[in-house]
Amino acid sequence: MNTTCLAPDRDPMGAAIHDYYNKGKAARLRVFSSQFDEDEIPVSGLFRTYGEMPELERIALQSACGRILDVGAGSGCHSLALREMGKEVQAIDISPLSVEVMQSRGVDARLVNVFDPHFVGQFDTVLMLMNGSGIIGRLENIGGFFGRMKQLLAPGGCILMDSSDLRYLFEDEDGSFVIDLAADYYGQVDFRMQYKQMKGDSFDWLYIDFNTLSLYASQYGFKAEKIAEGEHYDYLARLTVL
Ligand code: SAH
């Protein structure tokens, strides 16, 4: 599992966040994948306020308690909303430009890869939002992920993570699914981002359906509960140590 952070010249999302924060606008944040057509992430959406957040995220913020770790915190939108709710939150991200923006916004943010064992702490809630399971990268990393979470969770703590089931991408017109069971798990996606001339490295991003998540969770000593469902195959899960 990669435990490093991004170099500032390979941090397109951070550059977009940095521009938006400092200039009030940003160019296009482009997303490429070998599996999908080119897409874009609306940069203003990364600065969403509590009122602009999808229901799943608001439920996650309401459920978060105690000492909270916001993993892959981006612009710090969730950390700021949590602080307004009077909650105690530590934000981490591998993007140096995002961390700089979060610090300017008054968020307690650190440049840390969640898989770096040098980062220690005991958190009551580990928050992973905006397809938070993506950070796991690939299904084969999931054991390492749960092991790492056991190190970071205080007794009785939980992970609140959203994800979605990509099976709709494989749905035929007649409603049947054509999923190649011999191939890699269908929720494993590779992405590469670009902002202006700055290109990031390609990375793996895991979308995981709730059943697969539950199976792996129990294999690694966690219980998975679906606490909310979104509008399009997305859901919010709470994971606790068994
Ligand atoms: N949670 C934010 C941002 C989501 S984008 C939001 O909902 O708006 C995903 C973020 O995770 C990016 O900022 C990326 O830099 C960060 N990230 C990716 N892998 C990470 C890792 N291993 N450890 C910490 N942060 C990571």
Side-chain angles (χ1 to χ4, degrees):
M1 198 101 71
N2 182 1
T3 61
T4 58
C5 291
L6 304 176
D9 62 347
R10 294 217 163 240
D11 181 13
M13 185 188 257
I17 285 175
H18 198 269
D19 262 4
Y20 192 87
Y21 179 70
N22 288 294
K23 302 178 187 159
K25 61 181 182 6
R28 293 193 305 141
L29 178 56
R30 302 165 71 188
V31 183
F32 303 90
S33 167
S34 69
Q35 291 129 297
F36 306 113
D37 292 337
E38 181 181 337
D39 203 355
E40 246 176 69
I41 297 180
V43 182
S44 62
L46 296 172
F47 285 81
R48 58 205 181 278
T49 59
Y50 183 81
E52 294 163 345
M53 288 173 191
E55 179 77 21
L56 279 190
E57 295 187 358
R58 282 187 267 158
I59 295 171
L61 298 186
Q62 281 156 17
S63 313
C65 61
R67 216 170 125 58
I68 302 162
L69 180 66
D70 185 359
V71 176
S75 79
C77 57
H78 298 115
S79 291
L80 284 168
L82 286 165
R83 226 188 38 194
E84 272 177 33
M85 295 161 90
K87 300 186 184 187
E88 188 194 345
V89 50
Q90 164 81 71
I92 59 170
D93 205 292
I94 56 171
S95 155
L97 296 168
S98 300
V99 168
E100 192 187 312
V101 168
M102 284 195 272
Q103 289 170 347
S104 307
R105 300 179 89 191
V107 174
D108 180 5
R110 289 177 60 184
L111 182 62
V112 167
N113 186 316
V114 71
F115 296 112
D116 181 353
H118 297 109
F119 176 69
V120 291
Q122 293 271 293
F123 298 92
D124 302 294
T125 305
V126 173
L127 202 62
M128 300 176 75
L129 294 179
M130 199 170 138
N131 193 59
S133 65
I135 285 177
I136 302 167
R138 298 183 63 82
L139 215 42
E140 67 234 36
N141 296 338
I142 207 163
F145 166 74
F146 281 120
R148 180 72 185 125
M149 287 297 121
K150 281 182 185 163
Q151 295 171 346
L152 291 172
L153 284 171
C158 73
I159 308 162
L160 295 171
M161 173 201 277
D162 66 345
S163 193
S164 65
D165 185 349
L166 290 193
R167 60 172 16 223
Y168 63 88
L169 295 173
F170 304 92
E171 202 168 10
D172 263 355
E173 278 158 27
D174 66 0
S176 66
F177 291 99
V178 270
I179 290 169
D180 180 358
L181 293 176
D184 278 350
Y185 174 62
Y186 63 84
Q188 292 179 153
V189 175
D190 63 89
F191 285 128
R192 195 169 55 74
M193 292 200 267
Q194 181 174 348
Y195 182 71
K196 295 178 177 169
Q197 295 311 311
M198 193 194 287
K199 291 179 181 168
D201 293 325
S202 170
F203 59 92
D204 295 316
W205 199 248
L206 179 70
Y207 294 81
I208 188 166
D209 66 280
F210 182 72
N211 280 342
T212 306
L213 178 66
S214 311
L215 284 170
Y216 280 99
S218 59
Q219 184 179 337
Y220 292 103
F222 278 80
K223 178 178 76 170
E225 295 162 273
K226 191 191 274 188
I227 56 174
E229 249 174 36
E231 284 164 16
H232 197 254
Y233 297 87
D234 50 331
Y235 66 90
L236 175 69
R238 181 196 284 123
L239 297 149
T240 40
V241 178
L242 279 170

